[in-house]
Each structure stands twice: as structure tokens, then as C-alpha cells.
């Protein structure tokens, strides 16, 4: 997956006197869609770009994604159920399991953290609107299996949340973090829980911003109430790690964002994808002779596995020395460094040779249970999507690399006549978007127009959910993606190779030049007196 940062203003690092035009926006779009990493997105937009965003997402609710092997589906759902029940209780786990029996897809777009980023939030709110209109009472869960194998300093800001202010009319993104700054490079996976002391520091920082007249007093009061009522609950503070807290608090935050109807309410179920994959490995693949088992323990199969996957995106490269062999090694003394592993003489050996895991079922089990082995992105998708046939809705990056992983997996299994594995992988749909769209905006004085986070909707709006759903019915999939173009462009070019005009285009330029700001007026508004 890839989540862009929020862009609202002009890029002023490239001098230019020429005004941005609609032709420039069209040229930026075509330039990006011609890149190899966006060819899949180009196909998606050719097929669905003119559909209303709401209708595109609603298309997932037809139960056509049921896999051909129901025994594997039950294995996956059992692991999912256990992970949810331990955090959100039996009722939520039962509801999610019932839905997966009929609608066998999940979102894997998000980086694990508090639900706040607009590009993920908008997709989820539109999906909730589609579910509420559906007559199946079991379709009532937004299920996200997020990636916790990211650093706490990841650009998606997994260690806290942000909201907009605009003192003097200049838009600012204020960030509050649950976790200390000296933990930036640690992975979200298995990181410690935040404490009452951490919440106190957040409030102190919030009041300091208020004292500097950067945040209005009314806004401070609302944010404090959210911190107390959602993030400061006793059951949340008693969690064993940060991921458990995020699962619980996202569930609670969602209840405020999406209140539901008399007939149906929508749950937000949010669990680490790595946890489910680890549980599946311990329960099934360490002892059963599956293809995943053989990738680890069978020398001949592992050799072919390397031949098929070496150099693929989100995999590993023996030439460049990037990626890892199915698991990362998390250094137990600090839980900070993730080291790549490689097969060597019956062991998974970390860089430098200091850490070694025996390539035996017992060795892998001990590594998983002790927390030093963390499933890689490749192993996660080989397990969930390819072996268990789960359709994983992803961001623009995922829709590009997942088809390549799927093709390599099928080719490997074809060598060994594994027809059932091929059938399951062919069933899985790798080109479905699950985020990186936007329809909800914050307006305000000084012509402010910026994508809204979940916290913005809670502190600056009332009844925002029906407003957001209404906008997703008016905006097309193409339009919902267009506002990401300024963030996507630098991912494909070095700065020296960028067109200076295209590099100056901002999301606000796109909204104004395409008329999108008039088509989807704001769902939340910053107050006139922003510094009082």
C-alpha cells in the first residue's frame, strides 16, 4: 500500500511565474498513468473511472468472491475470529466471521495506526454507506487487516492523529502523538502501549498550541474530550500493546463517525495482518505439507521460490540485497531494528550473522511466539491472498505489485502440479482499490479547502457521515483519485527530472481548475475566529 501525505497549498520550491492551467493538470495525470507502476491504475480508471465513487465501492458487496476451497476459507476465518474476539469481544468477532463467509474480502490499504488519514477514511465511510443501503443484515463490518510492519515515523503517522487549524488563514496540520519521539524508528508491531502519562503530555502540547494562538480554545476542548472519552478509557489503557489499543480505539472512534440507522449499525474491525498470518502458520503451515511450508523447509521448493520471486516488488532481491526471506528479524533487546533474513545452511540468518533461526518447525514457531520473527509483506500476501484466496483491497501501489506476486505464485505451483493452489490464487482479485480516494473536505475563511481527517469531522462538523456519503455519490472514481496526483508525481521522478510546472501543482489547484471544489462542497468548516 501507499498513503500520500496531505497537500493543500502551493509548492513554492520551484520558481515560476506562469499560472497553473487545466491542461497542466491533465498533463500531470497522463504523465503519472504512463509510468510502469501505475499501468494497473490506468486499467482500473479506463474501466471504472467515470463511475461514481459510491457505486464503484458498492460493487464489492455482491457475493461473487466466495473461494472454491471452503475448508481454507474456514481456516482463515477462524484465525480472524480469534484475533478479533481477544480484543473486541465475541459479538464483533462473530459478526465479522459471518460477513466473511459471504463477502470474502478485506481492506489491506492502511498502515496500522489510529483511523484519521483522509485517503483511507473516505473509502471506509463510502463503504459504510453502501452497507447501510444493503438489505443483508450480515453486511455490517468494515474489515481492515492493516500492515503493522511499518515504522512509527512512517509518513501515514501511525503513532497519533492530526487535525487542521488555520491561524491567520494559513492551513496547518497539527499532530498529536501517543508515543514518544525517541521511538520513531521502531515498528508498530508489538510496540508498547501508551500510558496515562503519554496522554497527559499530549494535553500539555495541545494547551501550548492554544497558548501560542495556533489552536482555538473551543477546538482544544473538543480534542481533549475525544482523548478522554476514547483514548483514555480504562480498558484501553490496560491493553498489553499499542496495536491492541488501536484496534479498540478505532472501533470506538468509528461509532462516532458512523452512527448507523435503526435497522443496522456498522462495526469497524481493525487487526494486524501479520498477526493473523503468524497464527495461521503456527496452526497449519509449520506441520502440514502446504506450499507455504515447503517454501521454508523444502530445499528444492525454496530454490524455485527464489527463482520465481527474486527481484519482484515487495519481495526481495539477491542482487540489490533488499527485502527479506519471508520473515524479518526483530532484535529482541530493543524491538527497534528489523534485520533482513536469508537462507543459509539450514538457518534463517540475519545480516551480520549474529542472529540465527533454525529452519525447522520448532525454530520458526519459537521465533514467531517470542516476537522476533515478523512476517514480511510478501509472506502476508502469499498467505492471505494466494493460499487462502482472500481478495485484498489495496492502494495504488498494491494494485500494481499484487498481480505480479499472483502470477509468480501460480507459476511456482504449476511446476509441482498444485492445482488447488492455482485455483485459489486465480480466484483472488488483485486489482481492486481499497483507498487513496477523497471526497470529504474542510472549508473555512480565506478560501480554505482541504481534505478532512476523522478528527476534523468530529470537531468541526455535525452529522458529517451523510454528508460524506452524499459526496461519494457525486464524485467519480477518477475525480476522487485526481487530488492525489501531486503526491504521486514525486514517487516516479528524481527532483532534478521533474517538470517544474507539474511539480508546482497542488491538490487545491486541481480542485479549483476542475471545478471539484464546487461539486463537492465541504462537510466541515473551520470557525471564523481560529485563534481565540
Amino acid at each position: 500500500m501507499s498513503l500520500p501525505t496531505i497537500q493543500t497549498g502551493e509548492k513554492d520550491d520551484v520558481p515560476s511565474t506562469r499560472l497553473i492551467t487545466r491542461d497542466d493538470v491533465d498533463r500531470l495525470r497522463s504523465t503519472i498513468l504512463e509510468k510502469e507502476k501505475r499501468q494497473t491504475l490506468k486499467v482500473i480508471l479506463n474501466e471504472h473511472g467515470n463511475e461514481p465513487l459510491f457505486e464503484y465501492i458498492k460493487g464489492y458487496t455482491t457475493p461473487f468472491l466466495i473461494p472454491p476451497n471452503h475448508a481454507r476459507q474456514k481456516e482463515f476465518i477462524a484465525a480472524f475470529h480469534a484475533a478479533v474476539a481477544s480484543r473486541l469481544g465475541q459479538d464483533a468477532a462473530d459478526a465479522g466471521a459471518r460477513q466473511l463467509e459471504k463477502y470474502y474480502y478485506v481492506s489491506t490499504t492502511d498502515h496500522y495506526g489510529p483511523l484519521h488519514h483522509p485517503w483511507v477514511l473516505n473509502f471506509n465511510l463510502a463503504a459504510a454507506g453502501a452497507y447501510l443501503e444493503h438489505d443483508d443484515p450480515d453486511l455490517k463490518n468494515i474489515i481492515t487487516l492493516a500492515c503493522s510492519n511499518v515504522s512509527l515515523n512512517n509518513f501515514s503517522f501511525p503513532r497519533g492523529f492530526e487535525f487542521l487549524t488555520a491561524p491567520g488563514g494559513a492551513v496547518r496540520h497539527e499532530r498529536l502523538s501517543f508515543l514518544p519521539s525517541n521511538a520513531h524508528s521502531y515498528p508498530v508491531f508489538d510496540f508498547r502501549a501508551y500510558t496515562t502519562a503519554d496522554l497527559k503530555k499530549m494535553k500539555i502540547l495541545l494547551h501550548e498550541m492554544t497558548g501560542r494562538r495556533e489552536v482555538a480554545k473551543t477546538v482544544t476542548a473538543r480534542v481533549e474530550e475525544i482523548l478522554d472519552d476514547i483514548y483514555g478509557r480504562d480498558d484501553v489503557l490496560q491493553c498489553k500493546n499499542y496495536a491492541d489499543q488501536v484496534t479498540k480505539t478505532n472501533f470506538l472512534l468509528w461509532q462516532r463517525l458512523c452512527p448507523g440507522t435503526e435497522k443496522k449499525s456498522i462495526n469497524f474491525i481493525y487487526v494486524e495482518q501479520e498477526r493473523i498470518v503468524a497464527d495461521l502458520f503456527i496452526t497449519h503451515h509449520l506441520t502440514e505439507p502446504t506450499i507455504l511450508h515447503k517454501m521454508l523447509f523444502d530445499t528444492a521448493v525454496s530454490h524455485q521460490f527464489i527463482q520465481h520471486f527474486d527481484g519482484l516488488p515487495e519481495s526481495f532481491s539477491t542482487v540489490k540485497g533488499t527485502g527479506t526471506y519471508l520473515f524479518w528479524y526483530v532484535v529482541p533487546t530493543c524491538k527497534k531494528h528489523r534485520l533482513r533474513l536469508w537462507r543459509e545452511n539450514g538457518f534463517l540468518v540475519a545480516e551480520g550473522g549474529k542472529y540465527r533461526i533454525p529452519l525447522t518447525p520448532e525454530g520458526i514457531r519459537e521465533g514467531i511466539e517470542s516476537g522476533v520473527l515478523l512476517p514480511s509483506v510478501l509472506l502476508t500476501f502469499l498467505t492471505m491472498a494466494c493460499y487462502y484466496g482472500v481478495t485484498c483491497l489495496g492502494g495504488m501501489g498494491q494494485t500494481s505489485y499484487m498481480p505480479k506476486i499472483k502470477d509468480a505464485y501460480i507459476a511456482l505451483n504449476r511446476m509441482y502440479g498444485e492445482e488447488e493452489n492455482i485455483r485459489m490464487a486465480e480466484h483472488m482479485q488483485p486489482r481492486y482499490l481499497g483507498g487513496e480516494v477523497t471526497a470529504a473536505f474542510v472549508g473555512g475563511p480565506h478560501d480554505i479547502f482541504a481534505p478532512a481527517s476523522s478528527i476534523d469531522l468530529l470537531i468541526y462538523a455535525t452529522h458529517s457521515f451523510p454528508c460524506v456519503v452524499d459526496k461519494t455519490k457525486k464524485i467519480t472514481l477518477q475525480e476522487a483519485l485526481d487530488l492525489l496526483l501531486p503526491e504521486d508525481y514525486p514517487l516516479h521522478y528524481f527532483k532534478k527530472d521533474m517538470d517544474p510546472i507539474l511539480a508546482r501543482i497542488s491538490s487545491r489547484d486541481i480542485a479549483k481548475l476542475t471545478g471539484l471544489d464546487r461539486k463537492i462542497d465541504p462537510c466541515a468548516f473551520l470557525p471564523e475566529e481560529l485563534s481565540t
Side-chain angles (χ1 to χ4, degrees):
M1 72 154 276
S2 59
L3 289 172
T5 53
I6 303 172
Q7 166 101 22
T8 59
E10 286 280 348
K11 295 182 177 180
D12 56 9
D13 57 336
V14 179
S16 176
T17 57
R18 184 168 78 74
L19 295 176
I20 302 298
T21 68
R22 175 62 186 267
D23 286 343
D24 295 326
V25 174
D26 293 339
R27 188 160 59 92
L28 176 62
R29 183 191 305 113
S30 62
T31 298
I32 290 174
L33 291 179
E34 289 305 319
K35 300 299 293 183
E36 180 181 356
K37 290 183 178 181
R38 292 294 178 259
Q39 286 299 296
T40 301
L41 180 62
K42 184 177 181 180
V43 172
I44 293 171
L45 291 175
N46 285 339
E47 295 177 355
H48 303 285
N50 292 325
E51 293 179 23
L53 175 60
F54 184 86
E55 293 300 320
Y56 176 77
I57 296 172
K58 187 178 179 180
Y60 296 151
T61 64
T62 54
F64 64 94
L65 295 174
I66 302 302
N69 188 313
H70 298 303
R72 291 191 189 181
Q73 182 187 20
K74 288 181 179 179
E75 286 181 10
F76 179 83
I77 292 175
F80 166 84
H81 186 279
V84 176
S86 65
R87 293 172 174 180
L88 298 178
Q90 192 73 21
D91 290 345
D94 289 347
R98 284 195 301 270
Q99 179 170 312
L100 286 175
E101 290 173 359
K102 299 179 181 180
Y103 309 91
Y104 197 51
Y105 66 88
V106 301
S107 173
T108 52
T109 307
D110 205 2
H111 292 157
Y112 210 87
L115 174 65
H116 71 92
H117 202 290
W119 314 132
V120 176
L121 174 68
N122 282 263
F123 183 93
N124 291 334
L125 290 173
Y131 294 2
L132 286 172
E133 291 186 4
H134 202 285
D135 58 6
D136 187 347
D138 289 333
L139 187 60
K140 56 177 295 185
N141 306 278
I142 305 297
I143 299 175
T144 297
L145 303 185
C147 177
S148 66
N149 187 11
V150 294
S151 299
L152 288 166
N153 64 350
N154 185 274
F155 61 80
S156 59
F157 196 50
R159 62 191 183 93
F161 59 74
E162 68 177 24
F163 57 96
L164 294 171
T165 62
V171 173
R172 291 171 56 99
H173 297 275
E174 307 292 358
R175 288 185 164 186
L176 292 177
S177 175
F178 295 101
L179 301 171
S181 58
N182 63 1
H184 282 191
S185 60
Y186 287 64
V188 175
F189 176 79
D190 203 29
F191 193 79
R192 71 159 177 87
Y194 65 79
T195 65
T196 303
D198 292 317
L199 289 179
K200 184 177 180 180
K201 291 178 182 178
M202 296 175 74
K203 292 180 181 180
I204 291 173
L205 176 61
L206 184 61
H207 281 276
E208 288 175 350
M209 290 189 290
T210 306
R212 295 192 297 267
R213 302 179 66 83
E214 296 167 354
V215 178
K217 292 179 180 179
T218 54
V219 172
T220 297
R222 291 171 186 168
V223 174
E224 278 194 301
E225 189 271 332
I226 292 170
L227 288 173
D228 290 336
D229 193 48
I230 294 177
Y231 297 99
R233 291 168 53 117
D234 289 341
D235 60 321
V236 172
L237 292 171
Q238 291 167 6
C239 288
K240 65 179 182 179
N241 60 39
Y242 183 58
D244 287 357
Q245 292 177 315
V246 169
T247 297
K248 285 178 175 288
T249 53
N250 279 351
F251 188 87
L252 295 168
L253 187 74
W254 182 262
Q255 292 176 339
R256 289 193 175 199
L257 289 167
C258 180
T261 66
E262 292 182 1
K263 293 183 178 180
K264 188 192 292 189
S265 60
I266 305 297
N267 296 325
F268 190 76
I269 297 177
Y270 193 88
V271 181
E272 314 104 300
Q273 56 191 230
E274 294 86 357
R275 177 178 180 179
I276 291 177
V277 169
D279 289 347
L280 286 167
F281 253 81
I282 289 174
T283 305
H284 300 286
H285 303 287
L286 292 183
T287 54
E288 299 172 17
T290 65
I291 190 65
L292 299 174
H293 175 98
K294 294 174 183 177
M295 287 175 188
L296 274 172
F297 306 118
D298 186 307
T299 303
V301 175
S302 67
H303 175 74
Q304 289 299 325
F305 169 72
I306 294 169
Q307 295 297 311
H308 282 80
F309 286 88
D310 193 356
L312 290 185
E314 302 302 323
S315 181
F316 52 81
S317 172
T318 57
V319 175
K320 297 179 181 179
T322 57
T324 190
Y325 194 84
L326 297 179
F327 290 94
W328 291 94
Y329 187 86
V330 182
V331 180
T333 54
C334 66
K335 297 286 185 183
K336 180 177 182 179
H337 300 292
R338 282 157 291 173
L339 303 178
R340 61 178 47 88
L341 294 166
W342 197 247
R343 294 181 64 93
E344 185 178 306
N345 300 323
F347 289 86
L348 288 180
V349 182
E351 299 169 84
K354 182 177 179 180
Y355 303 103
R356 306 168 75 86
I357 300 291
L359 262 175
T360 62
E362 295 77 15
I364 299 299
R365 176 189 291 272
E366 182 179 346
I368 292 173
E369 291 179 342
S370 66
V372 300
L373 286 184
L374 171 60
S376 68
V377 171
L378 176 61
L379 180 57
T380 296
F381 285 117
L382 287 175
T383 305
M384 294 198 310
C386 295
Y387 184 85
Y388 285 101
V390 182
T391 289
C392 298
L393 313 181
M396 291 185 288
Q398 184 179 309
T399 61
S400 175
Y401 64 72
M402 272 302 296
K404 297 175 183 178
I405 291 175
K406 174 180 176 178
D407 290 345
Y409 177 84
I410 289 174
L412 175 66
N413 279 277
R414 188 166 285 126
M415 289 186 63
Y416 298 100
E418 295 281 0
E419 295 300 324
E420 190 62 14
N421 290 343
I422 294 171
R423 281 209 309 152
M424 286 295 280
E426 287 179 338
H427 157 81
M428 176 270 297
Q429 304 298 315
R431 294 183 173 90
Y432 285 1
L433 281 170
E436 302 192 17
V437 294
T438 189
F441 289 83
V442 174
H446 307 285
D447 199 27
I448 290 169
F449 184 79
S453 72
S454 62
I455 307 301
D456 291 324
L457 294 179
L458 292 179
I459 63 179
Y460 296 128
T462 56
H463 309 297
S464 59
F465 174 68
C467 177
V468 177
V469 173
D470 176 68
K471 305 311 175 192
T472 66
K473 293 180 178 181
K474 295 178 179 179
I475 188 174
T476 67
L477 176 62
Q478 175 72 72
E479 292 169 330
L481 286 164
D482 272 352
L483 290 168
L484 307 184
L485 296 177
E487 303 301 330
D488 203 23
Y489 185 55
L491 299 179
H492 304 285
Y493 296 92
F494 293 110
K495 188 172 183 178
K496 64 181 180 62
D497 298 324
M498 291 183 186
D499 182 309
I501 296 296
L502 300 188
R504 282 201 306 118
I505 297 175
S506 71
S507 297
R508 186 173 180 175
D509 291 330
I510 294 173
K512 286 186 170 294
L513 290 168
T514 62
L516 198 54
D517 58 339
R518 297 186 300 275
K519 188 174 182 180
I520 49 171
D521 52 305
C523 289
F525 294 88
L526 295 174
E528 282 285 343
E529 298 299 325
L530 294 167
S531 301
T532 61

